[in-house]
Amino acid sequence: MGFKEEFKREMRNVKSDVAKEVEKHWVLDFEGHQIEVMNGMMEEILKVDGQIIAKNVRKSIWSHIVPFSTLKGTFQSNSGKTHKVYVKIGGFVKLNVTVKVDGKQLMHEALKLHFLPWTNKEYIVPFLEEQFQQNQQLITKDLPDDEFLYDEHHPKFAPGFADQLHQEAVTPFYTKKLIKLFLEQVVNPNDQTRKATYEKIKDEKVISYFHEFLELFYEAEKDENRVKEEAIWLLEHAAHREVVKFALLVLGTVKCEEYKQRLKVIALHEEFTGVALYALTNGTTNSNETVWYIAKNVSDWGKLEALNFLDASNEEIRQWILLEGLKNTVPGNASALMCAEKGKLDIELHEKIISGKIFDGAGAIILALLYEGAYQRLDEYEYAGQVLMRYTHHAKTHCRTFNQFYILTQIHEYLQYDEETWEDRFSSNWKPHEKRAVEENIEEISRNPIWLQQAMEILQNDQDDEDEALAVAQFYKADITDIVFQKLKNNPENVQYYYSLFAVKDPKIIERLIGITESFGDFNELTNDQKVVVLSLIEELDQYNGVGLNFIGQALKTTDDHLQYMAILTLHSFDRAYWRGTEIEQLVGRYAKESKDADVKEIAKQLLSINE
């Protein structure tokens, strides 16, 4: 998001605020005639008995205060007499309105223009509470301030996601200044002090100063009851989500038992789940049952936050975490690790006999641990070796479906890491006998030919679960080359097909796959799926010295920084003899001098220095 787009959005919001503040409508009676005066940001209108008799269109969004504008018109009464109407609107600090008929003043009013950031807007918390009161649930993910935050340049995020993305720290002294303003509001609550705090809160995301605020705020001298009163005022008048979050953060520093139900309702919206649960667990007593209720009624980022606050304080909650904790959460995060640890998966699997439900729940958690995030969370799990040993042991009894066997193939793939990785694992969360037991258990189960038969049927008949079938076929080292190339004719952008053929480790197959990408056209205009395929192929080429040079050159010629980086990185694994004296060498030389990407520039310099 560029500065220009950000500025446009802010100006749009300012314009909207001004429009709402200056929009006024007066209705007067004169001898049975209805006189209407309407003031807007860009125009004023004078009506008599529903007919426009005068109108003024403004050229500036600020000209509602300078200079004064006048409206003049005439109308006839029932007796046939002509009356003159005169209206004067404007002012410097106040919106002054004077209406006269035939020189006689009918009205004079002076309205102060406050431009308070919470006025003329829908308050967020009452919006949520009304939904809950009517439906006993929140029926929409939309929030009243969506219109301020999102437009064609600012795509709408899933609730709670923006906080996950935010990594920038606040500017120095921001938090101290915010605390100072809020404490001034607490001591002297009025529009001026509240506006100062409110505007300051809007400058930054609460997540960026959350911990710093708590550390400094606890040290400050304050009257907790008055702090709570002003936090509630902000909560009830917040028309912007960061103000809601700030108020919740403050409530988490005081006792707020009487607001437990309100916090529960707010926590049901995933945008506020985390900070609302912070207030709930720190400001009220016996909150875990409420946290569990929230966890059962939110999804995605909200459920991840709820799992973080939830304690497995009884057997019912612990079982729920094992069986339901992962459902409707966002993949690629720490939820699986929390479910394994809080659900005591290791203890559950050490039982001599487990139920089919527990086996399936354990399998879902293990599969997520294998794939979550940029690295495998399973390596963080203290009981990884014990759990996989016991899970594969129980699989000899419970593995009855294709998807259950697929999980075993993914565990087997996890076992294939190099010796150095396993040395680290043996020093932390694995023992050698656990690894051997896992291997033996999977080998025993895999002797049943039904799993490969089912995989081939799925692939040959274009059934669902193709990705799982590809993995099972790869586990058995089955030759599915012809089947996959046939599928690629109809779906050349499915990267899973490419991955399945990478496993064959055949340069001729790699060249055939590169040939398929010719249908993608200009690499500067790739779709997201096409780009993933191209990047995957470039990365795979580092194992095939000299293969695909034209393909790499095509990537180097693009304006895409990511493609350039991966292409030049792959070149680093090639003998220079393959590309010396070619167009690729010229491109490398250019990047060594001109690339704006520091990494690309450094690698290009290294390539040119080799063998010189």
Side-chain angles (χ1 to χ4, degrees), residues 29 73 98 119 245 265 289 307 319 321-322 372 405 451 489 516 531 540 584 587:
D29 179 77
T98 301
T119 56
K245 294 174 187 178
V265 172
E289 285 292 322
L307 286 170
Q319 289 283 322
I321 290 173
L322 286 177
E372 283 195 335
F405 182 76
W451 309 120
K489 290 181 180 180
I516 291 173
K531 184 176 176 180
E540 185 68 14
I584 289 179
L587 289 168

Side-chain angles (χ1 to χ4, degrees), residues 147-159:
E147 63 177 303
F148 313 138
L149 295 176
Y150 304 117
D151 56 29
E152 65 274 16
H153 300 294
H154 305 78
K156 188 173 181 179
F157 292 134

Side-chain angles (χ1 to χ4, degrees), residues 37-49:
V37 179
M38 289 168 281
N39 185 71
M41 183 175 67
M42 301 302 292
E43 66 180 9
E44 296 92 24
I45 297 174
L46 172 61
K47 287 184 178 181
V48 176
D49 296 332

Side-chain angles (χ1 to χ4, degrees), residues 492-494 519-535 560 563:
E493 299 177 13
N494 187 334
S519 66
F520 294 173
D522 188 346
F523 277 14
N524 281 314
E525 299 177 359
L526 296 173
T527 66
N528 288 336
D529 288 343
Q530 288 172 343
K531 184 176 176 180
V532 170
V533 168
V534 171
L535 286 170
D560 188 296
L563 287 173

